[in-house]
Amino acid sequence: EIVLTQSPGTLSLSPGERVALSCRASQSVRSSYFAWYQQKPGQAPRLLIYGTSRRASGIPDRFSGSGSETDFTLTISRLEPEDFAVYYCQQYGSSPFTFGPGTKVDFK
Amino acid sequence: QVQLQESGPGLVKPSQTLSLTCSVSGGSISSDSYAWNWIRQPAGKGLEWIGRVYSSGGTNYNPSLQSRVTISVDTSNNQFSLNLSSVTAADTAVYWCARRYYYFDTAGYHDAFDIWGQGTVVTVSS
């Protein structure tokens, strides 16, 4: 099983800041099968990025994804108030598909 | 616009079987480009993939649950289902169904868990 580790666990930031969220995999992940999700309380995860760097439909271009093999990054170029949430990474190239533990982005 | 909707009992007794259904609307469940998944999240914790089913009926399960889980598809009613047997309090969670969609176009290969249901809370308690 591929274990995903996200750091940090929590980030306290202000609107307008740039943020880079990290996800590290215990084994190499094929780039076509790596995604990022945003989750707000009481809601389902919302797909942001798939295939490492492809933005999902309707996702603003302030969100971008990068990385390869075992190191992946979600970057938010300028935090908007609606971006304060929990972010999860996911690999779905090797079964069982796994998620990271999440990074919470909250208000400073 | 394809939508998914989970349904089933919100309370299940320990040792019994948890049964949920995901109804697919706005599109057909039958396509080689889709896999239909169940994912769960205990309160305050992370996400766990339970398993998937194809419209052909083929399945894959998370080994951590494999001995207790069955996922099936009903193409005539455009829905798929989750059965989890011998439940304990550790199975208390929000359960989601989700579509994995993969296809090629001029921009290349696309593959994502793109549509999720709204989720249903299942509590295991006597």
Side-chain angles (χ1 to χ4, degrees), chain A residues 37-107:
Chain A
Y37 297 85
Q38 177 193 71
Q39 188 180 35
K40 296 180 180 179
Q43 297 184 16
R46 173 194 181 198
L47 178 67
L48 298 175
I49 300 288
Y50 68 96
T52 297
S53 59
R54 294 182 182 273
R55 267 188 303 278
S57 176
I59 301 303
D61 62 6
R62 65 180 181 272
F63 292 93
S64 63
S66 63
S68 63
E69 298 193 3
T70 60
D71 287 288
F72 297 86
T73 301
L74 173 70
T75 301
I76 310 172
S77 60
R78 185 179 172 86
L79 274 170
E80 297 289 338
E82 61 268 27
D83 298 337
F84 290 86
V86 180
Y87 292 85
Y88 293 96
C89 56
Q90 180 204 24
Q91 69 80 22
Y92 48 103
S94 175
S95 184
F97 308 141
T98 50
F99 294 85
T103 291
K104 183 177 183 180
V105 177
D106 65 13
F107 286 98

Side-chain angles (χ1 to χ4, degrees), chain A residues 1 32-33 37 39 42-47 50-51 54 88 90 92-93 95-101, chain B residues 37 39 41 45-49 52 61-63 96 100 103 107-114 116-117:
Chain A
E1 173 175 324
S32 295
Y33 308 115
Y37 297 85
Q39 188 180 35
Q43 297 184 16
R46 173 194 181 198
L47 178 67
Y50 68 96
R54 294 182 182 273
Y88 293 96
Q90 180 204 24
Y92 48 103
S95 184
F97 308 141
T98 50
F99 294 85
Chain B
N37 297 264
I39 294 144
Q41 183 176 39
K45 296 189 178 180
L47 298 156
E48 180 181 33
W49 177 75
R52 64 178 171 185
Y61 301 131
N62 192 320
W96 282 285
R100 180 177 177 178
Y103 65 98
Y109 177 67
H110 305 265
D111 185 340
F113 285 60
D114 64 336
W116 294 56

Side-chain angles (χ1 to χ4, degrees), chain B residues 32-74:
Chain B
D32 290 342
S33 294
Y34 302 143
W36 303 97
N37 297 264
W38 287 99
I39 294 144
R40 70 180 183 178
Q41 183 176 39
K45 296 189 178 180
L47 298 156
E48 180 181 33
W49 177 75
I50 299 170
R52 64 178 171 185
V53 65
Y54 298 91
S55 59
S56 63
T59 56
N60 298 94
Y61 301 131
N62 192 320
S64 67
L65 297 167
Q66 185 155 4
S67 64
R68 300 193 291 129
V69 67
T70 303
I71 299 175
S72 59
V73 65
D74 179 353

Side-chain angles (χ1 to χ4, degrees), chain B:
Chain B
Q1 180 76 351
V2 173
Q3 292 184 315
L4 307 182
Q5 178 68 60
E6 304 89 349
S7 60
L11 181 64
V12 182
K13 288 182 167 46
S15 80
Q16 293 190 343
T17 295
L18 179 162
S19 296
L20 297 175
T21 296
C22 181
S23 298
V24 180
S25 60
S28 174
I29 201 170
S30 299
S31 168
D32 290 342
S33 294
Y34 302 143
W36 303 97
N37 297 264
W38 287 99
I39 294 144
R40 70 180 183 178
Q41 183 176 39
K45 296 189 178 180
L47 298 156
E48 180 181 33
W49 177 75
I50 299 170
R52 64 178 171 185
V53 65
Y54 298 91
S55 59
S56 63
T59 56
N60 298 94
Y61 301 131
N62 192 320
S64 67
L65 297 167
Q66 185 155 4
S67 64
R68 300 193 291 129
V69 67
T70 303
I71 299 175
S72 59
V73 65
D74 179 353
T75 55
S76 61
N77 287 306
N78 227 37
Q79 60 188 26
F80 62 106
S81 299
L82 168 69
N83 280 348
L84 183 64
S85 64
S86 305
V87 296
T88 69
D91 296 308
T92 294
V94 178
Y95 286 76
W96 282 285
C97 54
R99 183 183 82 169
R100 180 177 177 178
Y101 180 29
Y102 32 91
Y103 65 98
F104 284 95
D105 66 10
T106 55
Y109 177 67
H110 305 265
D111 185 340
F113 285 60
D114 64 336
I115 298 175
W116 294 56
Q118 65 183 29
T120 188
V121 177
V122 178
T123 301
V124 178
S125 175
S126 54

